[in-house]
């Protein structure tokens, strides 16, 4: 998701999105451990998006 879209969300929506990202990151880690992860760049994308959401949540406080 782009930064513009993330900035338009409320804090509650960002927290919900963050929970989804953590689930996705866990699934990607399990795929990597079992050797089933084909798109290795997805793990990096999710990790960076988690950081973006955490930054925005800090700014909204």
């Amino acid at each position: 998701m782009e930064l513009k879209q993330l900035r338009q969300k409320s804090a509650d929506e960002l927290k919900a999105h963050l929970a989804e990202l953590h689930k996705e990151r866990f699934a990607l880690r399990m795929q990597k451990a079992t050797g089933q992860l084909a798109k290795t760049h997805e793990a990096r994308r999710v990790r960076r998006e988690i950081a973006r959401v955490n930054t925005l949540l800090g700014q909204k406080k």
Side-chain angles (χ1 to χ4, degrees), residues 13-39:
E13 291 173 331
L14 285 173
K15 287 178 185 177
H17 185 62
L18 186 62
E20 291 174 21
L21 288 171
H22 280 294
K23 288 178 186 177
E24 185 177 354
R25 183 172 182 230
F26 178 77
L28 290 171
R29 283 190 359 238
M30 291 300 110
Q31 288 178 10
K32 182 180 179 187
T34 59
Q36 297 175 349
L37 184 60
K39 298 179 182 178

Side-chain angles (χ1 to χ4, degrees), residues 32-55:
K32 182 180 179 187
T34 59
Q36 297 175 349
L37 184 60
K39 298 179 182 178
T40 56
H41 65 279
E42 288 295 317
R44 184 177 184 179
R45 180 194 59 81
V46 171
R47 192 175 71 238
R48 286 183 175 192
E49 192 165 340
I50 288 172
R52 284 187 189 106
V53 171
N54 281 330
T55 301

